[in-house]
Amino acid sequence: MWDALKNAWKIPDLRNRIKFTIFMLILFRLGTFVPVPRMDPAAVKQMVEKGALLGFFDIISGGAFKQFSVFAMSITPYINASIIVQLLTIVIPKWEELAKEGEAGRKVLAQYTRYGTVILGLIQATGLSIGFRSAMKPGILSNIVVILSLTAGTAFLMWLGEQITDKGIGNGISLLIFAGIVSRLPSSIFQVYSLLKVGTLNIIMLAIFLIFALAVIVAVIAVQEAERRVPVQYAKRVVGRKVYGGQSTHIPIKVNGAGVIPIIFAMSILMFPSTLAGFFPNNKIMVSIAQFLSPSGWLYALLYAVLIIFFTYFYTAITFNPVEVAENMKKYGGFIPGIRPGRPTAEYLNRIMTRITLVGSIFLAAIALMPYLITAITGVNISFGGTALLIVVGVALETMKAIEAQMLMRHYQGFLK
């Protein structure tokens, strides 16, 4: 691995891309310390610690949300806009045609995503200015300043991510989230060291925790890379004097095709009542619902797992259409050996997808509930949860593959050799 990194650094173009990516990530981290004007950071920090959903936003933003900096909303409006555009692509026929037009169509959809990011950023910033009004200086000017500062910060991060994608290494948006999550590691390590020093945590429990964490990371990597390869054979076609087709390929169906989106959806629904209770502490109904759905209770864990499984099937069904895949195969003369083209192929692919998605959904539920299990066994309170672990591992693998592709183009030995 180190030899591969040395070879990557020897390539001038790749070295410049790595330098550019590092510079942009440093710029992102510096921006998390630029406060939003006319806000009381201490009051915001106190409110964030009360709301579980706000704590998750703080993890994604790399601590910027608790400090209420200009990057407090992080890149979440862009992620939401991307998901909405992806879902609407299936619903709106014109957008579906754009998605099939190749690079030109994707550019138009990317522009729609940018517009959606700004609109969602304004809506989310308005909601935050209303929710955190007690931590804000009175006056309409304060609301305007906060809304514009947060929206501008999100728009800048969107531009920053696109620049990393174009001129750096890997996916820029993913790397910004990765940097935000990883930036919390030093404080988490120091917290564990402090507990060990005062005697609250013993060395045996820490060793069990480290072994368990390593095993979970290995399992996450294995499942993230796992896929079912459905063989596809293309019949030979003679057009004039040329022969087309006759190739053997496969359709990769990933075990975890939905990524972390089901966990985020399930977490948002379950943590929403407790977040509202933090904003309205005098509302007895809100407080009662928040106590009923406490993360330490068994009901929360059960609902969490059920919602994750449901959203995994829901999102996978939207993003992977067996009927469309079967039609495209039939159109170009492709077939699965032993399966008739058309409807039987669609039913076969749907059956495979259903079984594989069950494994992936159970895995996601186990990863999401992992921090509560570790905390119960070892007594170590983990802020670096299963969702963050999935994001970090996924982005690290994606970035490694991007470097690998750049190196293989120049005939260097890569990581996977």
Side-chain angles (χ1 to χ4, degrees):
M1 179 178 177
W2 294 112
D3 291 336
L5 288 174
K6 289 179 182 178
N7 290 333
W9 194 255
K10 291 176 183 177
I11 305 170
D13 179 53
L14 196 54
R15 182 170 64 246
N16 292 334
R17 284 178 172 271
I18 295 173
K19 286 181 179 179
F20 181 83
T21 303
I22 293 173
F23 173 75
M24 287 297 181
L25 293 179
I26 292 173
L27 191 64
F28 161 65
R29 289 306 302 159
L30 291 175
T32 58
F33 299 100
V34 179
V36 174
R38 308 182 72 85
M39 290 293 296
D40 183 9
V44 172
K45 183 178 180 180
Q46 187 177 4
M47 296 179 71
V48 170
E49 290 174 350
K50 291 181 180 178
L53 184 59
L54 300 181
F56 173 71
F57 288 152
D58 188 55
I59 292 174
I60 295 297
S61 64
F65 193 84
K66 187 180 290 186
Q67 299 173 11
F68 215 79
S69 72
V70 291
F71 292 163
M73 294 195 304
S74 186
I75 205 67
T76 49
Y78 180 87
I79 297 171
N80 295 333
S82 300
I83 294 172
I84 291 172
V85 169
Q86 189 176 11
L87 295 177
L88 289 178
T89 302
I90 303 170
V91 177
I92 302 175
K94 187 177 180 180
W95 287 25
E96 189 175 1
E97 293 176 4
L98 286 173
K100 295 178 180 178
E101 287 181 2
E103 187 66 26
R106 283 194 292 268
K107 285 183 179 179
V108 176
L109 292 177
Q111 193 65 26
Y112 291 163
T113 304
R114 295 187 190 103
Y115 295 148
T117 300
V118 175
I119 294 171
L120 290 177
L122 284 170
I123 295 172
Q124 187 173 336
T126 303
L128 289 175
S129 67
I130 296 172
F132 289 104
R133 60 187 179 277
S134 59
M136 188 189 308
K137 291 183 180 180
I140 189 66
L141 179 62
S142 297
N143 290 81
I144 295 173
V145 169
V146 170
I147 292 170
L148 292 180
S149 299
L150 292 176
T151 307
T154 296
F156 179 76
L157 285 180
M158 178 177 63
W159 175 83
L160 205 68
E162 291 180 350
Q163 293 300 307
I164 293 175
T165 302
D166 294 338
K167 302 177 183 178
I169 290 290
N171 185 290
I173 302 298
S174 301
L175 282 172
L176 291 179
I177 301 173
F178 175 86
I181 295 173
V182 172
S183 65
R184 298 176 62 90
L185 271 178
S187 61
S188 299
I189 293 173
F190 180 76
Q191 181 183 3
V192 172
Y193 174 74
S194 301
L195 293 173
L196 191 64
K197 191 174 181 181
V198 298
T200 308
L201 177 68
N202 61 63
I203 193 69
I204 298 176
M205 286 293 103
L206 180 60
I208 294 173
F209 166 73
L210 292 175
I211 294 171
F212 191 78
L214 182 61
V216 169
I217 292 174
V218 173
V220 168
I221 294 174
V223 176
Q224 286 284 86
E225 294 296 293
E227 62 183 20
R228 168 71 184 273
R229 296 182 177 182
V230 181
V232 177
Q233 181 73 36
Y234 283 93
K236 291 184 178 181
R237 293 180 299 151
V238 180
V239 181
R241 295 184 178 180
K242 294 183 179 180
V243 179
Y244 296 94
Q247 300 176 1
S248 296
T249 182
H250 65 270
I251 301 173
I253 302 178
K254 294 186 72 66
V255 173
N256 183 24
V260 297
I261 291 176
I263 297 180
I264 295 174
F265 282 175
M267 184 184 296
S268 301
I269 291 174
L270 288 177
M271 289 184 175
F272 190 66
S274 62
T275 303
L276 285 180
F279 284 130
F280 305 101
N282 297 325
N283 192 312
K284 293 182 179 180
I285 297 176
M286 291 290 182
V287 173
S288 300
I289 295 174
Q291 291 175 351
F292 187 67
L293 293 176
S294 173
S296 58
W298 63 269
L299 180 62
Y300 177 89
L302 180 62
L303 289 175
Y304 198 13
V306 171
L307 285 174
I308 288 172
I309 293 173
F310 168 75
F311 281 120
T312 303
Y313 272 99
F314 174 76
Y315 190 78
T316 305
I318 289 175
T319 54
F320 183 82
N321 189 349
V323 176
E324 183 180 353
V325 173
E327 289 178 355
N328 290 333
M329 287 171 54
K330 186 178 180 180
K331 180 180 177 181
Y332 294 102
F335 62 93
I336 299 174
I339 307 295
R340 288 186 177 183
R343 185 178 175 180
T345 298
E347 293 176 350
Y348 178 74
L349 291 174
N350 185 60
R351 187 163 61 250
I352 291 176
M353 187 188 70
T354 302
R355 294 174 179 175
I356 285 184
T357 303
L358 177 62
V359 177
S361 62
I362 294 174
F363 168 76
L364 286 178
I367 289 294
L369 296 174
M370 175 196 66
Y372 306 103
L373 178 63
I374 294 179
T375 301
I377 295 175
T378 64
V380 181
N381 188 15
I382 302 172
S383 59
F384 196 82
T387 310
L389 181 62
L390 281 171
I391 294 172
V392 168
V393 171
V395 175
L397 290 173
E398 181 184 355
T399 307
M400 187 187 74
K401 288 178 181 178
I403 298 176
E404 177 80 12
Q406 292 283 340
M407 294 176 64
L408 290 177
M409 287 172 59
R410 296 164 176 83
H411 307 290
Y412 275 93
Q413 179 177 323
F415 295 101
L416 305 179
K417 183 67 175 175

